[in-house]
Amino acid sequence: MDIKQLDHAKRHLTTSITTLNHLHMLAGGVDSLEAMTRKRQYGEVANLLQGVVNVLEHFHKYMGIPQIRQLSERVKAAQSELGTQILADFEEAFPSQGSKRTGGPSNVLRDACLVANVLDPRIKQEIIKKFIRQHLSEYLVLFQENQDVAWLDKIDRRYAWIKRQLVDYEEKYGRMFPEEWCMTERIAVEFCHITRVELAKVMRTRAKEIEVKLLLFAIQRTTNFEGLLAKRFTGCTLTDQKRPESPLDPTNPFLEDEQGEDMGTEKDEDLAKPRKPKAPDNPFHGIVSKCFEPHLYVYIESQDKNLGELIDRFVADFRAQGPPKAGTEEGGAVLPSCADLFVYYKKCMVQCSQLSTGEPMIALTTIFQKFLREYAWKILSGNLPKSSSNSGGLTISSLLKEKEGSEAAKFTVDELCLICSILSTAEYCLATTQQLEEKLKEKVDKVLMERINLTGEMDTFSTVISNSIQLLVQDLDAACDPALTAMSKMPWQSVEHVGDQSPYVTSIIMHIKQNVPIIRDNLASTRKYFTQFCIKFTNSFIPKFINHLFRCKPISMVGAEQLLLDTHSLKTVLLDLPSIGSQVLRKAPASYTKIVVKGMTRAEMILKVVMAPHEPPVVFVDNYIKLLADGNPETFQKILDMKGLKRSEQSSMLELFRQRLPTPPSGADGGPSLSFSAPTPEQESSRIRKLEKLIKKRL
């Protein structure tokens, strides 16, 4: 019990002694503080003030004691007195009224700054504000709106002035302010804010005088200056003020090299001119240059004009130089003008994104769209050769040509080359437009991304591609027409023996061998569109061939055998069509082979049915249904016509045909059923062997 009491007594005694010591320090400290403040001994004040404030915190719970409260009030009064006195000292050293410049820094003021660090933060802010305002007062006078140097053409002078000021500040006052106040950066930032406001004012007043070269010059010099600030300062002071929203995304895709293959060539190096010192996330970006944004319509309008002139130049160049020459490097190659167009687009996009990533980017995109369409119309569609059968309808001349069995007017080799070249160019434009859309979306402010959509322009290029393929198909198709007409006019009833392939087959093969290798060589870079051409041609030619086959009537047995041989020759050539006349034998795409096999097998089946005896009728009808799997009575009627059956025989056959038709599964229409499968290559070759034996026997 006694020891416990002793412990208590000891503890209270210690606390009492400590508190009395603190009280002694506090009383002495306050006295010294007041004396030093009067003598402006700020160096000692700075250290002492922090100690007094710390000690005072220990007396927080004793504020009820009048003497303690009085000491606390004296400390507050001393702090307030110090604040007022220091501000007055700075005002005297750097008067805000009158332009008389002072003798420079002093140790007194340097120590005063250390005191300000311990005082209410507003004192420090006031000192900074006063000093910067005084330091930049000359700037506002020199570059007043009515001064010659205030205009954009002399914008360099502004930046030269602040650079000199900052060097001057560092030399004279660099040591006066504590380093953590970042005074050099603060002066630079305040200069930027003033400059932004002043430039905006002068540009509003003289908006009519702003032309694009001047605007770009001013922007370039300003962004260069912003880049310089980023190299020199960290931007740590920008957090105290409202920072202009930084429109530059830190992942600026144009800092790494663009996909060179599509978006341009060596010329790209000078595309990013406006801002050489590139910092991906420059905190100073836009701090001054934001003021140019309302005037960027001048830049957009000039790009509209430039692109219009560029397209006109492309048109003139195309007229002067003519289409790419066949058999040369150029043959079927992408037109050089489209690469020039996209290089120019890239340059504009990079430039505009450095000026603004807001509405001006949307305006630029609209102009890009306009000239992509113009390019597609004026350079691509506008230069596609006109085909004789383009009208679609039958002209008198085409009817006459068919009558005489003469050759249809075909495209020249150069014209075929040109079509391929336009197709390749449209494909390049389609792919590059897609990349352009992605790049624009990367660059523009996120809220505006949805408004960038180049689908319509991509569709325009797709249309050019399909029109080009259609022209190539029509040309070869039309070239084969006279041969098919000749085939349907031959007297198939009076053919006496089976010989080699007929002249009309030789003619068709000749046209295929003339056109296809040229098209293939010129579409070497766009293989998929060459395959599309092959598929479209076959899809057009085979039904036409079958229609002409139905016109060959009546046909004798030998005539049908000859036609079967011809059909087989055509089928062989069509299967080989993609690599015809090529040194490199490439297997034709399966999708293509399937179309040929299916279509030409149907032609062979038609002839086999024609060759079959029509007695007994039931066997003939069942054989037809099995081989052709076509439930359409019109097709059956055509077969009967080819066999040369009389009308009376035909009607009983048709009746029998209707009875023998299997009932279609529910939901299916009575059209041709596709259950029939194409023969395998093995069956195919054995059939051909039989046919060859048959021909030898006849011979």
Side-chain angles (χ1 to χ4, degrees), residues 124-134 183:
K124 169 183 159 182
Q125 284 158 13
E126 191 63 28
I127 293 171
I128 291 172
K129 199 163 84 184
K130 270 181 186 268
F131 181 81
I132 293 176
R133 190 185 301 143
Q134 201 274 337
M183 283 301 279

Side-chain angles (χ1 to χ4, degrees), residues 386-405:
K386 304 287 173 275
S387 91
S388 53
S389 58
N390 226 0
S391 52
L394 282 174
T395 58
I396 296 293
S397 64
S398 71
L399 280 169
L400 283 172
K401 271 185 195 140
E402 195 164 310
K403 224 182 205 110
E404 296 153 18

Side-chain angles (χ1 to χ4, degrees), residues 414-451:
D414 279 349
E415 284 175 323
L416 287 176
C417 260
L418 173 60
I419 296 170
C420 293
S421 201
I422 288 172
L423 192 159
S424 303
T425 306
E427 189 203 22
Y428 174 95
C429 292
L430 176 64
T432 315
T433 302
Q434 195 170 357
Q435 290 175 7
L436 176 69
E437 183 185 85
E438 286 163 16
K439 289 287 166 205
L440 285 165
K441 283 186 170 177
E442 272 177 39
K443 296 231 164 286
V444 80
D445 294 342
K446 290 206 168 28
V447 288
L448 300 175
M449 262 171 63
E450 290 307 306
R451 285 171 59 191

Side-chain angles (χ1 to χ4, degrees), residues 484-498:
L484 292 176
T485 307
M487 170 183 102
S488 60
K489 298 248 168 74
M490 279 174 70
W492 291 106
Q493 200 176 13
S494 50
V495 176
E496 288 174 5
H497 59 265
V498 178

Side-chain angles (χ1 to χ4, degrees), residues 253-254 258 263 342 345-346 348-350 352-353 356-358 360-369 372 432-446 448-454 457:
F254 278 80
E258 205 62 54
M263 282 299 267
F342 283 107
Y345 270 18
K346 181 186 171 186
C348 293
M349 176 174 61
V350 171
C352 188
S353 68
S356 161
T357 52
M361 276 294 262
I362 300 294
L364 186 69
T365 303
T366 308
I367 284 174
F368 281 176
Q369 289 173 288
L372 284 173
T432 315
T433 302
Q434 195 170 357
Q435 290 175 7
L436 176 69
E437 183 185 85
E438 286 163 16
K439 289 287 166 205
L440 285 165
K441 283 186 170 177
E442 272 177 39
K443 296 231 164 286
V444 80
D445 294 342
K446 290 206 168 28
L448 300 175
M449 262 171 63
E450 290 307 306
R451 285 171 59 191
I452 290 178
N453 182 356
L454 305 187
E457 289 62 43

Side-chain angles (χ1 to χ4, degrees), residues 209-276:
E209 295 172 53
I210 302 173
E211 49 91 27
V212 73
K213 263 192 178 146
L214 180 64
L215 181 70
L216 287 180
F217 164 78
I219 291 172
Q220 182 182 0
R221 294 306 158 90
T222 304
T223 47
N224 281 349
F225 174 68
E226 289 170 352
L228 209 64
L229 292 180
K231 280 185 170 175
R232 173 73 180 75
F233 304 118
T234 60
C236 61
T237 66
L238 290 171
T239 46
D240 324 351
Q241 310 157 20
K242 173 159 188 344
R243 192 170 150 177
E245 75 256 44
S246 169
L248 215 151
D249 204 286
T251 55
N252 183 342
F254 278 80
L255 290 180
E256 70 263 2
D257 193 33
E258 205 62 54
Q259 289 170 317
E261 47 163 1
D262 276 331
M263 282 299 267
T265 57
E266 312 76 61
K267 297 178 202 165
D268 291 7
E269 286 157 30
D270 59 347
L271 295 189
K273 278 272 171 62
R275 199 159 47 91
K276 268 294 177 314

